[in-house]
Amino acid sequence: MGPSASTAISTPHTGGLRHSLAEDVYAFLIGCSLIVMGILCLHKAGLVTGGMAGIALLLSYFLPLSPGLLFTLINIPFLAFALKAMSPNFAVRTMIASMGVTVFGGLMPRVITVSEINPLFSALFAGTIIGLGILCLARHQAGVGGTGIVTLWLQKSRGINAGRVQIAIDVVILTVSAFFLPKDKMALSLVSAVATSGILIVYHRPGRYIGH
């Protein structure tokens, strides 16, 4: 076995393997569906969470609009920021992901109905799968828009961990929500936000993922 073969075996992923178009499409489908499923569970339990999902959920309890539609409307200025501050590739992918969340938000209630869900389970489960959905999109150079764009931009340009920044933003969102929701709902909403940010803190680290 020659030196080059030995080196290739010892560092098989040195250069990384670029995702194919099919892999990107698959990741977008998974990421958007996980996020929408999480929002559906939280909405049924009357909870909120952090980030764009939390803002959309909170407003949906007072406005005659679905969380998915509100998600899209609130997202518009953040997408404009992505066009200026991030790469064109990221901005376009984020727009596609945002539209995907909107489309899935309209389709999901037609294929699945959540008639009852334990609030604590909803907080943990929904928060986790929303985080996984965001992570899935981030691994394929996309965000879901909103505060996610800001956190990813700060991590890329300043090296600040996206999960920690998201926690700071979530504190603000949850503080505002505390004026409108009962204390028990707020406590569980905090659990949901921590579950989401926990996924990003643990798994969304520079160098942890070799694909790109």
Side-chain angles (χ1 to χ4, degrees):
M1 181 180 295
S4 59
S6 176
T7 302
I9 291 175
S10 62
T11 57
H13 302 293
T14 301
L17 298 175
R18 193 169 299 277
H19 292 126
S20 67
L21 176 60
E23 290 170 336
D24 284 339
V25 171
Y26 187 42
F28 274 52
L29 292 174
I30 293 173
C32 291
S33 61
L34 286 175
I35 292 169
V36 170
M37 187 64 199
I39 292 175
L40 186 65
C41 291
L42 290 174
H43 190 263
K44 182 61 182 180
L47 305 179
V48 298
T49 187
M52 280 290 296
I55 298 173
L57 279 166
L58 179 62
L59 292 177
S60 73
Y61 298 134
F62 303 100
L63 299 175
L65 299 173
S66 69
L69 179 57
L70 287 167
F71 187 97
T72 301
L73 295 176
I74 301 168
N75 224 351
I76 294 174
F78 290 98
L79 292 175
F81 172 76
L83 285 171
K84 292 185 177 181
M86 305 293 282
S87 69
N89 179 58
F90 175 84
V92 170
R93 286 169 179 255
T94 297
M95 288 181 182
I96 294 173
S98 177
M99 289 187 290
V101 169
T102 303
V103 172
F104 274 82
L107 293 177
M108 192 71 76
R110 300 183 181 184
V111 297
I112 183 170
T113 300
V114 180
S115 59
E116 184 178 353
I117 188 168
N118 179 277
L120 177 58
F121 174 80
S122 175
L124 292 170
F125 174 73
T128 298
I129 64 173
I130 288 175
L132 289 172
I134 294 172
L135 179 66
C136 189
L137 293 172
R139 294 307 193 199
H140 289 256
Q141 307 301 310
V144 291
T147 58
I149 291 177
V150 178
T151 59
L152 292 174
W153 174 73
L154 286 174
Q155 176 159 305
K156 183 176 181 180
S157 63
R158 302 289 188 271
I160 304 173
N161 184 273
R164 292 187 174 89
V165 175
Q166 189 63 58
I167 286 179
I169 295 175
D170 292 347
V171 168
V172 175
I173 295 173
L174 292 171
T175 299
V176 173
S177 300
F179 291 97
F180 303 98
L181 298 180
K183 292 181 179 180
D184 59 331
K185 299 288 187 181
M186 276 308 308
L188 291 174
S189 296
L190 177 61
V191 171
S192 173
V194 170
T196 299
S197 294
I199 292 292
L200 297 177
I201 289 174
V202 174
Y203 296 108
H204 192 47
R205 297 182 183 179
R208 171 144 287 183
Y209 185 68
I210 55 179
H212 62 279

Tab-separated table of all heavy atoms in Angstrom, residues 124-175:
chain	number	residue	atom	x	y	z
A	124	LEU	N	-40.754	19.303	25.004
A	124	LEU	CA	-39.489	18.596	24.765
A	124	LEU	C	-39.384	18.078	23.336
A	124	LEU	O	-38.372	18.284	22.661
A	124	LEU	CB	-39.363	17.432	25.752
A	124	LEU	CG	-39.168	17.810	27.228
A	124	LEU	CD1	-39.297	16.585	28.112
A	124	LEU	CD2	-37.817	18.477	27.426
A	125	PHE	N	-40.428	17.422	22.882
A	125	PHE	CA	-40.413	16.811	21.553
A	125	PHE	C	-40.381	17.868	20.457
A	125	PHE	O	-39.538	17.829	19.553
A	125	PHE	CB	-41.647	15.915	21.389
A	125	PHE	CG	-41.813	15.345	20.014
A	125	PHE	CD1	-40.981	14.338	19.549
A	125	PHE	CD2	-42.812	15.816	19.166
A	125	PHE	CE1	-41.127	13.812	18.272
A	125	PHE	CE2	-42.973	15.298	17.891
A	125	PHE	CZ	-42.134	14.285	17.445
A	126	ALA	N	-41.300	18.825	20.542
A	126	ALA	CA	-41.383	19.851	19.502
A	126	ALA	C	-40.126	20.711	19.486
A	126	ALA	O	-39.601	21.036	18.411
A	126	ALA	CB	-42.620	20.714	19.719
A	127	GLY	N	-39.647	21.092	20.654
A	127	GLY	CA	-38.433	21.892	20.704
A	127	GLY	C	-37.251	21.178	20.076
A	127	GLY	O	-36.452	21.770	19.350
A	128	THR	N	-37.160	19.885	20.328
A	128	THR	CA	-36.054	19.086	19.791
A	128	THR	C	-36.140	18.947	18.280
A	128	THR	O	-35.155	19.135	17.568
A	128	THR	CB	-36.031	17.688	20.435
A	128	THR	OG1	-35.824	17.820	21.853
A	128	THR	CG2	-34.902	16.843	19.851
A	129	ILE	N	-37.323	18.624	17.758
A	129	ILE	CA	-37.406	18.407	16.310
A	129	ILE	C	-37.320	19.720	15.535
A	129	ILE	O	-36.863	19.739	14.396
A	129	ILE	CB	-38.674	17.610	15.912
A	129	ILE	CG1	-39.952	18.379	16.241
A	129	ILE	CG2	-38.673	16.243	16.565
A	129	ILE	CD1	-41.209	17.689	15.710
A	130	ILE	N	-37.732	20.826	16.147
A	130	ILE	CA	-37.527	22.123	15.497
A	130	ILE	C	-36.030	22.397	15.394
A	130	ILE	O	-35.526	22.849	14.363
A	130	ILE	CB	-38.239	23.250	16.262
A	130	ILE	CG1	-39.760	23.155	16.066
A	130	ILE	CG2	-37.745	24.626	15.792
A	130	ILE	CD1	-40.557	24.148	16.889
A	131	GLY	N	-35.303	22.113	16.470
A	131	GLY	CA	-33.854	22.281	16.443
A	131	GLY	C	-33.203	21.389	15.404
A	131	GLY	O	-32.289	21.822	14.681
A	132	LEU	N	-33.668	20.154	15.299
A	132	LEU	CA	-33.119	19.237	14.296
A	132	LEU	C	-33.432	19.720	12.882
A	132	LEU	O	-32.616	19.573	11.967
A	132	LEU	CB	-33.685	17.830	14.512
A	132	LEU	CG	-33.175	17.094	15.756
A	132	LEU	CD1	-33.960	15.800	15.964
A	132	LEU	CD2	-31.683	16.798	15.642
A	133	GLY	N	-34.628	20.279	12.697
A	133	GLY	CA	-34.995	20.811	11.388
A	133	GLY	C	-34.114	21.986	10.994
A	133	GLY	O	-33.643	22.075	9.857
A	134	ILE	N	-33.871	22.887	11.949
A	134	ILE	CA	-32.991	24.027	11.691
A	134	ILE	C	-31.582	23.549	11.394
A	134	ILE	O	-30.909	24.044	10.483
A	134	ILE	CB	-32.987	24.983	12.904
A	134	ILE	CG1	-34.371	25.625	13.078
A	134	ILE	CG2	-31.920	26.070	12.742
A	134	ILE	CD1	-34.522	26.424	14.357
A	135	LEU	N	-31.117	22.568	12.160
A	135	LEU	CA	-29.783	22.007	11.950
A	135	LEU	C	-29.659	21.363	10.580
A	135	LEU	O	-28.658	21.546	9.878
A	135	LEU	CB	-29.482	20.972	13.041
A	135	LEU	CG	-28.133	20.263	12.955
A	135	LEU	CD1	-27.000	21.248	13.191
A	135	LEU	CD2	-28.066	19.115	13.960
A	136	CYS	N	-30.689	20.635	10.190
A	136	CYS	CA	-30.691	19.961	8.892
A	136	CYS	C	-30.534	20.979	7.763
A	136	CYS	O	-29.748	20.772	6.827
A	136	CYS	CB	-31.991	19.177	8.727
A	136	CYS	SG	-32.029	18.101	7.283
A	137	LEU	N	-31.240	22.079	7.856
A	137	LEU	CA	-31.144	23.123	6.833
A	137	LEU	C	-29.786	23.822	6.886
A	137	LEU	O	-29.187	24.122	5.847
A	137	LEU	CB	-32.265	24.146	7.024
A	137	LEU	CG	-33.684	23.632	6.776
A	137	LEU	CD1	-34.703	24.688	7.177
A	137	LEU	CD2	-33.876	23.227	5.326
A	138	ALA	N	-29.290	24.075	8.092
A	138	ALA	CA	-28.005	24.759	8.239
A	138	ALA	C	-26.872	23.937	7.634
A	138	ALA	O	-25.934	24.490	7.055
A	138	ALA	CB	-27.724	25.043	9.716
A	139	ARG	N	-26.955	22.614	7.760
A	139	ARG	CA	-25.928	21.746	7.189
A	139	ARG	C	-25.929	21.795	5.665
A	139	ARG	O	-24.960	21.401	5.027
A	139	ARG	CB	-26.147	20.298	7.639
A	139	ARG	CG	-25.971	20.054	9.122
A	139	ARG	CD	-24.642	20.551	9.635
A	139	ARG	NE	-24.360	20.040	10.962
A	139	ARG	CZ	-23.485	20.565	11.790
A	139	ARG	NH1	-22.800	21.636	11.420
A	139	ARG	NH2	-23.271	20.046	12.979
A	140	HIS	N	-27.003	22.293	5.110
A	140	HIS	CA	-27.093	22.408	3.659
A	140	HIS	C	-27.146	23.871	3.238
A	140	HIS	O	-27.800	24.230	2.262
A	140	HIS	CB	-28.305	21.626	3.142
A	140	HIS	CG	-28.108	20.141	3.242
A	140	HIS	ND1	-27.819	19.361	2.150
A	140	HIS	CD2	-28.116	19.307	4.320
A	140	HIS	CE1	-27.666	18.099	2.547
A	140	HIS	NE2	-27.847	18.052	3.852
A	141	GLN	N	-26.443	24.705	4.020
A	141	GLN	CA	-26.239	26.112	3.686
A	141	GLN	C	-27.541	26.898	3.560
A	141	GLN	O	-27.732	27.675	2.632
A	141	GLN	CB	-25.429	26.237	2.384
A	141	GLN	CG	-24.125	25.461	2.378
A	141	GLN	CD	-23.188	25.883	3.507
A	141	GLN	OE1	-22.939	27.065	3.682
A	141	GLN	NE2	-22.678	24.928	4.263
A	142	ALA	N	-28.448	26.673	4.489
A	142	ALA	CA	-29.717	27.401	4.482
A	142	ALA	C	-30.183	27.635	5.906
A	142	ALA	O	-29.765	26.949	6.849
A	142	ALA	CB	-30.784	26.629	3.706
A	143	GLY	N	-31.023	28.621	6.067
A	143	GLY	CA	-31.668	28.866	7.342
A	143	GLY	C	-33.165	28.900	7.109
A	143	GLY	O	-33.626	28.781	5.978
A	144	VAL	N	-33.913	29.063	8.187
A	144	VAL	CA	-35.364	29.164	8.026
A	144	VAL	C	-35.779	30.630	8.013
A	144	VAL	O	-36.953	30.954	7.979
A	144	VAL	CB	-36.120	28.420	9.148
A	144	VAL	CG1	-35.922	26.934	9.007
A	144	VAL	CG2	-35.679	28.891	10.520
A	145	GLY	N	-34.781	31.507	8.047
A	145	GLY	CA	-35.085	32.927	8.060
A	145	GLY	C	-35.153	33.457	9.474
A	145	GLY	O	-34.786	32.792	10.437
A	146	GLY	N	-35.644	34.682	9.590
A	146	GLY	CA	-35.833	35.270	10.898
A	146	GLY	C	-34.553	35.355	11.709
A	146	GLY	O	-33.466	35.636	11.199
A	147	THR	N	-34.686	35.098	13.010
A	147	THR	CA	-33.540	35.197	13.907
A	147	THR	C	-32.456	34.190	13.551
A	147	THR	O	-31.290	34.396	13.875
A	147	THR	CB	-33.991	34.978	15.360
A	147	THR	OG1	-34.617	33.693	15.481
A	147	THR	CG2	-34.984	36.050	15.786
A	148	GLY	N	-32.846	33.098	12.883
A	148	GLY	CA	-31.857	32.105	12.469
A	148	GLY	C	-30.820	32.692	11.528
A	148	GLY	O	-29.646	32.299	11.547
A	149	ILE	N	-31.232	33.627	10.692
A	149	ILE	CA	-30.300	34.286	9.779
A	149	ILE	C	-29.269	35.083	10.578
A	149	ILE	O	-28.071	35.048	10.296
A	149	ILE	CB	-31.049	35.224	8.815
A	149	ILE	CG1	-31.898	34.406	7.837
A	149	ILE	CG2	-30.077	36.113	8.045
A	149	ILE	CD1	-32.732	35.236	6.904
A	150	VAL	N	-29.746	35.779	11.593
A	150	VAL	CA	-28.855	36.591	12.422
A	150	VAL	C	-27.851	35.701	13.158
A	150	VAL	O	-26.649	36.004	13.196
A	150	VAL	CB	-29.667	37.422	13.435
A	150	VAL	CG1	-28.734	38.224	14.339
A	150	VAL	CG2	-30.627	38.356	12.708
A	151	THR	N	-28.323	34.607	13.748
A	151	THR	CA	-27.423	33.735	14.502
A	151	THR	C	-26.379	33.081	13.601
A	151	THR	O	-25.204	32.990	13.962
A	151	THR	CB	-28.210	32.644	15.242
A	151	THR	OG1	-28.951	31.850	14.304
A	151	THR	CG2	-29.186	33.257	16.235
A	152	LEU	N	-26.798	32.621	12.425
A	152	LEU	CA	-25.853	31.997	11.498
A	152	LEU	C	-24.860	33.016	10.955
A	152	LEU	O	-23.676	32.711	10.752
A	152	LEU	CB	-26.602	31.322	10.352
A	152	LEU	CG	-27.426	30.095	10.729
A	152	LEU	CD1	-28.227	29.602	9.533
A	152	LEU	CD2	-26.538	28.980	11.261
A	153	TRP	N	-25.323	34.238	10.719
A	153	TRP	CA	-24.429	35.292	10.237
A	153	TRP	C	-23.369	35.624	11.293
A	153	TRP	O	-22.188	35.782	10.974
A	153	TRP	CB	-25.232	36.544	9.891
A	153	TRP	CG	-24.372	37.713	9.521
A	153	TRP	CD1	-23.668	37.906	8.365
A	153	TRP	CD2	-24.105	38.869	10.337
A	153	TRP	NE1	-22.984	39.100	8.401
A	153	TRP	CE2	-23.236	39.709	9.598
A	153	TRP	CE3	-24.529	39.269	11.614
A	153	TRP	CZ2	-22.777	40.924	10.104
A	153	TRP	CZ3	-24.083	40.480	12.109
A	153	TRP	CH2	-23.215	41.283	11.357
A	154	LEU	N	-23.787	35.711	12.549
A	154	LEU	CA	-22.846	36.002	13.622
A	154	LEU	C	-21.834	34.876	13.801
A	154	LEU	O	-20.658	35.122	14.069
A	154	LEU	CB	-23.602	36.242	14.939
A	154	LEU	CG	-24.343	37.578	15.050
A	154	LEU	CD1	-25.172	37.620	16.324
A	154	LEU	CD2	-23.358	38.745	15.014
A	155	GLN	N	-22.295	33.632	13.650
A	155	GLN	CA	-21.361	32.516	13.787
A	155	GLN	C	-20.346	32.519	12.650
A	155	GLN	O	-19.151	32.271	12.859
A	155	GLN	CB	-22.109	31.183	13.806
A	155	GLN	CG	-21.174	29.972	13.847
A	155	GLN	CD	-21.836	28.731	14.355
A	155	GLN	OE1	-22.395	28.713	15.448
A	155	GLN	NE2	-21.777	27.663	13.591
A	156	LYS	N	-20.813	32.805	11.449
A	156	LYS	CA	-19.930	32.785	10.283
A	156	LYS	C	-18.983	33.978	10.258
A	156	LYS	O	-17.792	33.844	9.932
A	156	LYS	CB	-20.765	32.762	9.001
A	156	LYS	CG	-19.929	32.658	7.734
A	156	LYS	CD	-20.805	32.540	6.502
A	156	LYS	CE	-19.970	32.414	5.232
A	156	LYS	NZ	-20.815	32.288	4.012
A	157	SER	N	-19.479	35.158	10.612
A	157	SER	CA	-18.666	36.369	10.502
A	157	SER	C	-17.894	36.703	11.776
A	157	SER	O	-16.842	37.335	11.723
A	157	SER	CB	-19.552	37.562	10.131
A	157	SER	OG	-20.511	37.817	11.146
A	158	ARG	N	-18.412	36.285	12.940
A	158	ARG	CA	-17.772	36.635	14.207
A	158	ARG	C	-17.322	35.423	15.013
A	158	ARG	O	-16.678	35.577	16.044
A	158	ARG	CB	-18.743	37.473	15.067
A	158	ARG	CG	-19.227	38.752	14.419
A	158	ARG	CD	-18.106	39.794	14.325
A	158	ARG	NE	-18.636	41.080	13.863
A	158	ARG	CZ	-18.743	41.442	12.600
A	158	ARG	NH1	-18.350	40.594	11.647
A	158	ARG	NH2	-19.223	42.622	12.251
A	159	GLY	N	-17.700	34.235	14.572
A	159	GLY	CA	-17.312	33.033	15.301
A	159	GLY	C	-18.077	32.822	16.591
A	159	GLY	O	-17.647	32.062	17.463
A	160	ILE	N	-19.235	33.487	16.729
A	160	ILE	CA	-20.058	33.358	17.930
A	160	ILE	C	-21.021	32.197	17.743
A	160	ILE	O	-21.736	32.128	16.747
A	160	ILE	CB	-20.848	34.651	18.197
A	160	ILE	CG1	-19.882	35.839	18.304
A	160	ILE	CG2	-21.668	34.532	19.473
A	160	ILE	CD1	-20.586	37.186	18.412
A	161	ASN	N	-21.049	31.283	18.701
A	161	ASN	CA	-21.880	30.086	18.585
A	161	ASN	C	-23.340	30.442	18.343
A	161	ASN	O	-23.928	31.231	19.088
A	161	ASN	CB	-21.754	29.234	19.843
A	161	ASN	CG	-22.530	27.931	19.735
A	161	ASN	OD1	-23.710	27.890	20.047
A	161	ASN	ND2	-21.868	26.881	19.288
A	162	ALA	N	-23.923	29.846	17.297
A	162	ALA	CA	-25.305	30.155	16.912
A	162	ALA	C	-26.295	29.799	18.007
A	162	ALA	O	-27.268	30.518	18.241
A	162	ALA	CB	-25.662	29.416	15.627
A	163	GLY	N	-26.051	28.700	18.702
A	163	GLY	CA	-26.968	28.273	19.751
A	163	GLY	C	-27.020	29.252	20.911
A	163	GLY	O	-28.098	29.556	21.443
A	164	ARG	N	-25.860	29.780	21.308
A	164	ARG	CA	-25.820	30.726	22.430
A	164	ARG	C	-26.491	32.051	22.059
A	164	ARG	O	-27.173	32.665	22.880
A	164	ARG	CB	-24.374	30.949	22.862
A	164	ARG	CG	-23.748	29.713	23.504
A	164	ARG	CD	-22.373	30.001	24.076
A	164	ARG	NE	-21.865	28.840	24.793
A	164	ARG	CZ	-21.164	27.874	24.252
A	164	ARG	NH1	-20.894	27.898	22.959
A	164	ARG	NH2	-20.740	26.852	24.984
A	165	VAL	N	-26.276	32.500	20.833
A	165	VAL	CA	-26.934	33.724	20.385
A	165	VAL	C	-28.445	33.521	20.346
A	165	VAL	O	-29.220	34.396	20.741
A	165	VAL	CB	-26.430	34.148	18.992
A	165	VAL	CG1	-27.207	35.363	18.487
A	165	VAL	CG2	-24.949	34.466	19.041
A	166	GLN	N	-28.846	32.337	19.883
A	166	GLN	CA	-30.275	32.044	19.807
A	166	GLN	C	-30.914	32.067	21.187
A	166	GLN	O	-32.049	32.518	21.359
A	166	GLN	CB	-30.498	30.686	19.146
A	166	GLN	CG	-31.957	30.391	18.820
A	166	GLN	CD	-32.531	31.371	17.813
A	166	GLN	OE1	-32.020	31.515	16.708
A	166	GLN	NE2	-33.602	32.056	18.198
A	167	ILE	N	-30.182	31.575	22.187
A	167	ILE	CA	-30.704	31.590	23.550
A	167	ILE	C	-30.968	33.031	24.001
A	167	ILE	O	-32.004	33.334	24.606
A	167	ILE	CB	-29.730	30.896	24.521
A	167	ILE	CG1	-29.794	29.377	24.324
A	167	ILE	CG2	-30.072	31.238	25.968
A	167	ILE	CD1	-28.847	28.603	25.212
A	168	ALA	N	-30.033	33.929	23.710
A	168	ALA	CA	-30.201	35.330	24.095
A	168	ALA	C	-31.437	35.939	23.426
A	168	ALA	O	-32.214	36.666	24.066
A	168	ALA	CB	-28.952	36.122	23.717
A	169	ILE	N	-31.612	35.624	22.144
A	169	ILE	CA	-32.789	36.128	21.421
A	169	ILE	C	-34.060	35.511	21.988
A	169	ILE	O	-35.085	36.184	22.158
A	169	ILE	CB	-32.666	35.824	19.918
A	169	ILE	CG1	-31.490	36.586	19.317
A	169	ILE	CG2	-33.970	36.175	19.183
A	169	ILE	CD1	-31.209	36.252	17.872
A	170	ASP	N	-33.982	34.231	22.310
A	170	ASP	CA	-35.152	33.535	22.860
A	170	ASP	C	-35.583	34.124	24.191
A	170	ASP	O	-36.781	34.182	24.501
A	170	ASP	CB	-34.841	32.049	23.034
A	170	ASP	CG	-34.671	31.327	21.710
A	170	ASP	OD1	-35.031	31.923	20.675
A	170	ASP	OD2	-34.177	30.186	21.707
A	171	VAL	N	-34.614	34.556	24.996
A	171	VAL	CA	-34.951	35.169	26.282
A	171	VAL	C	-35.825	36.405	26.075
A	171	VAL	O	-36.804	36.626	26.796
A	171	VAL	CB	-33.663	35.547	27.050
A	171	VAL	CG1	-33.991	36.450	28.239
A	171	VAL	CG2	-32.941	34.294	27.526
A	172	VAL	N	-35.497	37.182	25.067
A	172	VAL	CA	-36.274	38.382	24.759
A	172	VAL	C	-37.691	37.992	24.318
A	172	VAL	O	-38.686	38.560	24.793
A	172	VAL	CB	-35.596	39.217	23.661
A	172	VAL	CG1	-36.473	40.403	23.264
A	172	VAL	CG2	-34.228	39.699	24.130
A	173	ILE	N	-37.769	37.012	23.409
A	173	ILE	CA	-39.078	36.584	22.898
A	173	ILE	C	-39.942	36.018	24.019
A	173	ILE	O	-41.137	36.338	24.135
A	173	ILE	CB	-38.893	35.530	21.793
A	173	ILE	CG1	-38.181	36.151	20.583
A	173	ILE	CG2	-40.245	34.937	21.373
A	173	ILE	CD1	-37.795	35.154	19.516
A	174	LEU	N	-39.346	35.194	24.873
A	174	LEU	CA	-40.105	34.585	25.955
A	174	LEU	C	-40.492	35.605	27.022
A	174	LEU	O	-41.549	35.486	27.647
A	174	LEU	CB	-39.291	33.451	26.580
A	174	LEU	CG	-39.090	32.232	25.666
A	174	LEU	CD1	-38.100	31.260	26.280
A	174	LEU	CD2	-40.422	31.537	25.397
A	175	THR	N	-39.654	36.609	27.229
A	175	THR	CA	-39.987	37.665	28.184
A	175	THR	C	-41.233	38.421	27.736
A	175	THR	O	-42.129	38.713	28.537
A	175	THR	CB	-38.810	38.648	28.344
A	175	THR	OG1	-37.670	37.943	28.842
A	175	THR	CG2	-39.178	39.775	29.304
